[in-house]
Amino acid sequence: MANELDELNDKTLDEGRDVKVIAKTIPVTVGVGSKIFDVIWWFLPPIIGGIIWMIMKVKAKNHFQQLQQKLQHDASQIDNYLEQRVQILKNCAKLVDKAIDLDKSTFEKIAAYRSGSSAKNDEARLAYAQEIENVGRSINIAVENYPDLKAHQELADAMQQNSYLQREITAAREVYNDAINAWNRDIFSWPTKQIVAAKAGYTTRIPFAIDNETREAARGDFF
């Protein structure tokens, strides 16, 4: 049997293709066959089949409840790092402002983020993270425009901490996306998990994705 995908002979996509996350949730549904499958266990003598099936569904429900708690934990980790980054950016902004007249709106934005940093859901968390990223970018631009600031040891340390937190946020998002992937995969695992998920009204979850501004910046020239 020939390979389904042949990198040597099959047509290649020379023009490339940009991949983006689709912001769409898919509800879990089951057909008539699954509903019959769910009921027929109780008609298998001597009722032991129905009891076994009920235990399997309870385990599946527990699995989803535990996975939801893990998703909450992973999301909280991202929030913790974002909160730390806000504090670091506040310190950076103060240090820069001592040397140059930094845009006052930067301070206002940071103060607003500190007063209510906890995002309520995935979409709010993404928007919140992007706003923090924009603040960090404005401070970086200010530092680049005034090379003498780079010699400031306190600022250099703060910027290093900011860079570290950026990496930690990226790692935390990867862990979160892994949990999202596990959730999206398991809710369609037929029969037990999918039937339980459909009865509970579960839907797929949308993983973390960058915005268009960051995507375009990644294509730019850095050197």
Side-chain angles (χ1 to χ4, degrees), residues 82-133:
L82 287 172
E83 185 177 359
Q84 292 179 53
R85 194 178 178 204
V86 167
Q87 184 59 47
I88 294 298
L89 290 175
K90 178 187 176 185
N91 295 338
C92 288
K94 284 183 177 180
L95 291 169
V96 172
D97 191 57
K98 289 180 180 179
I100 61 174
D101 185 18
L102 186 65
D103 184 1
K104 300 304 179 184
S105 64
T106 299
F107 290 107
E108 294 174 1
K109 289 179 180 178
I110 292 176
Y113 300 146
R114 291 193 67 209
S115 64
S117 62
S118 296
K120 302 301 181 183
N121 52 47
D122 295 342
E123 185 177 352
R125 181 174 293 103
L126 177 59
Y128 173 75
Q130 184 53 43
E131 288 298 325
I132 295 176
E133 187 67 30

Side-chain angles (χ1 to χ4, degrees), residues 39 41 82 97 104 127 152 167 216 222:
V39 175
W41 282 82
L82 287 172
D97 191 57
K104 300 304 179 184
H152 195 302
R167 293 193 296 270
E216 291 300 322
F222 293 92

Side-chain angles (χ1 to χ4, degrees), residues 38-208:
D38 186 20
V39 175
I40 201 172
W41 282 82
W42 292 100
F43 294 94
L44 297 176
I47 310 299
I48 295 178
I51 296 174
I52 294 174
W53 176 238
M54 182 177 65
I55 293 173
M56 291 171 63
K57 290 196 294 184
V58 169
K59 287 183 177 180
K61 182 179 180 181
N62 291 341
H63 169 76
F64 286 129
Q65 290 176 336
Q66 292 169 10
L67 192 52
Q68 287 189 87
Q69 292 302 317
K70 184 180 187 308
L71 283 164
Q72 283 290 94
H73 172 268
D74 294 343
S76 178
Q77 284 291 92
I78 298 174
D79 289 344
N80 288 339
Y81 285 126
L82 287 172
E83 185 177 359
Q84 292 179 53
R85 194 178 178 204
V86 167
Q87 184 59 47
I88 294 298
L89 290 175
K90 178 187 176 185
N91 295 338
C92 288
K94 284 183 177 180
L95 291 169
V96 172
D97 191 57
K98 289 180 180 179
I100 61 174
D101 185 18
L102 186 65
D103 184 1
K104 300 304 179 184
S105 64
T106 299
F107 290 107
E108 294 174 1
K109 289 179 180 178
I110 292 176
Y113 300 146
R114 291 193 67 209
S115 64
S117 62
S118 296
K120 302 301 181 183
N121 52 47
D122 295 342
E123 185 177 352
R125 181 174 293 103
L126 177 59
Y128 173 75
Q130 184 53 43
E131 288 298 325
I132 295 176
E133 187 67 30
N134 292 338
V135 171
R137 191 178 294 120
S138 67
I139 293 176
N140 286 333
I141 291 173
V143 173
E144 290 298 326
N145 290 338
Y146 295 86
D148 292 342
L149 289 176
K150 295 181 180 180
H152 195 302
Q153 187 59 46
E154 282 186 86
L155 180 59
D157 292 342
M159 296 299 285
Q160 185 176 10
Q161 293 178 51
N162 179 57
S163 178
Y164 165 77
L165 286 173
Q166 281 182 299
R167 293 193 296 270
E168 290 298 313
I169 290 171
T170 299
R173 285 168 176 165
E174 185 66 25
V175 172
Y176 176 76
N177 278 355
D178 286 344
I180 289 286
N181 178 58
W183 173 273
N184 291 344
R185 180 187 65 243
D186 288 351
I187 61 176
F188 289 109
S189 180
W190 194 88
T192 315
K193 291 178 181 176
Q194 184 170 353
I195 291 174
V196 170
K199 285 187 175 181
Y202 291 150
T203 68
T204 57
R205 296 171 182 257
I206 301 172
F208 170 81

